[in-house]
Amino acid sequence: FILDYFFYRSHCKVLYQEQAEKLLRLDQDIELDPVTSARIIPYPPANRIFLSQPSSIVFMDCACRIERGLKGKEPVDVCIAVGEPIAGFWLEHGAERLNARRISAEEALEIVRRERERGSIPTAWFKDAAGNRFFGICNCSPAGCDALESAQIARMLQVEDPPSIALASGYGARADRSRCKGCGTCVEVCPFQAISLDGDDKAVIIYDLCMGCGLCVDRCKQEALSLVRDERKGVPFDVEELSPHAGV
């Protein structure tokens, strides 16, 4: 019951910025076969990857940030519905309460870039009430997202395959000790507490906590950090890589 109610019905996949931008640049319908979809999102039944009219995009305020009292302290206009019929539903039912409005793909890309500069993590969301499918991208704030918080708690339990509303990106961070200067920027920006400095002031990745968001890579001026594909972190949600499995 707990898995069904809290994890299977609504969950997200962590994206790094380029993956989110590829989704927002789609200009044709795409549908992945059920087997491939289930490998990317291993939570039934809400794991269908089907985008109809992906250029139909609606922008809306984030209910999580509002509920946590962050309105006025940081931007709340960070949620992006991609494709129909979800975009139209948001526009019809969220215009008054959550300021839903239509935007272009280029405007959506600018929102992702703006939020990335602020330290937000783009996530792809799936929900049973959305037809058991992908429905949009939220730019999640570490201080204002229930899913990211649940991921932090789950990975700190130190159990095998801990349940979490948020799934890793399919990548893991790697540190190059020869380049690391021990500035600690990566430690400060990581929303999952997945990086520490060792006794030599070199960055160390805490494998079980890393979600592969790439924020540390973006911020490292020494280029000492990189994202590496890791099968143990799941299958990435990358529409270019997945195109051979898609019906267009």
Side-chain angles (χ1 to χ4, degrees):
F1 172 79
I2 293 176
L3 282 174
D4 178 59
Y5 190 82
F6 290 103
F7 301 107
Y8 293 165
R9 294 187 179 189
S10 180
H11 37 257
C12 67
K13 180 84 168 177
V14 170
L15 306 172
Y16 61 81
Q17 184 174 339
E18 184 179 356
Q19 291 173 321
E21 292 185 1
K22 288 176 182 178
L23 278 167
L24 294 171
R25 289 194 181 101
L26 276 176
D27 58 3
Q28 56 187 340
D29 294 0
I30 185 171
E31 181 173 13
L32 296 188
D33 65 79
V35 173
T36 303
S37 293
R39 289 177 61 223
I40 298 167
I41 307 295
Y43 287 167
N47 60 17
R48 189 180 177 205
I49 297 176
F50 171 50
L51 284 92
S52 176
Q53 304 176 52
S55 58
S56 179
I57 299 174
V58 168
F59 184 39
M60 190 167 72
D61 292 350
C62 175
C64 288
R65 294 194 187 195
I66 293 172
E67 289 173 1
R68 289 187 174 221
L70 297 176
K71 190 172 185 178
K73 300 177 183 178
E74 60 180 56
V76 296
D77 50 348
V78 296
C79 294
I80 304 169
V82 183
E84 295 296 342
I86 306 302
F89 181 86
W90 278 23
L91 192 63
E92 179 180 356
H93 297 278
E96 182 174 344
R97 188 171 70 91
L98 293 171
N99 299 312
R101 60 269 194 205
R102 285 200 182 275
I103 59 173
S104 67
E106 195 55 47
E107 289 173 311
L109 289 167
E110 285 303 315
I111 293 162
V112 170
R113 293 165 187 157
R114 177 200 76 189
E115 283 301 303
R116 189 63 166 182
E117 285 296 317
R118 298 189 61 259
S120 295
I121 308 300
T123 52
W125 279 88
F126 297 74
K127 194 170 186 176
D128 59 350
N132 288 324
R133 62 193 272 186
F134 164 73
F135 66 88
I137 295 171
C138 188
N139 297 281
C140 295
S141 161
C145 177
D146 294 339
L148 295 189
E149 186 174 62
S150 80
Q152 294 175 29
I153 294 171
R155 279 157 178 76
M156 288 178 182
L157 295 177
Q158 296 183 341
V159 298
E160 186 176 354
D161 296 324
S164 173
I165 296 173
L167 300 167
S169 71
Y171 290 80
R174 296 293 183 270
D176 183 342
R177 292 177 62 84
S178 67
R179 286 179 172 270
C180 180
K181 302 298 183 184
C183 68
T185 299
C186 56
V187 178
E188 295 173 5
V189 302
C190 178
F192 305 106
Q193 291 83 56
I195 309 179
S196 62
L197 296 181
D198 65 13
D200 297 322
D201 281 338
K202 300 292 184 180
V204 176
I205 310 300
I206 304 170
Y207 177 84
D208 289 341
L209 300 183
C210 179
M211 296 287 284
C213 70
L215 191 59
C216 60
V217 178
D218 293 348
R219 294 291 196 272
C220 182
K221 295 180 179 179
Q222 309 300 326
E223 298 184 354
L225 293 160
S226 60
L227 280 181
V228 178
R229 181 73 170 268
D230 189 335
E231 292 183 357
R232 295 170 296 174
K233 296 289 187 180
V235 178
F237 186 10
D238 187 310
V239 291
E240 285 186 1
E241 289 187 14
L242 296 168
S243 57
H245 303 277
V248 178

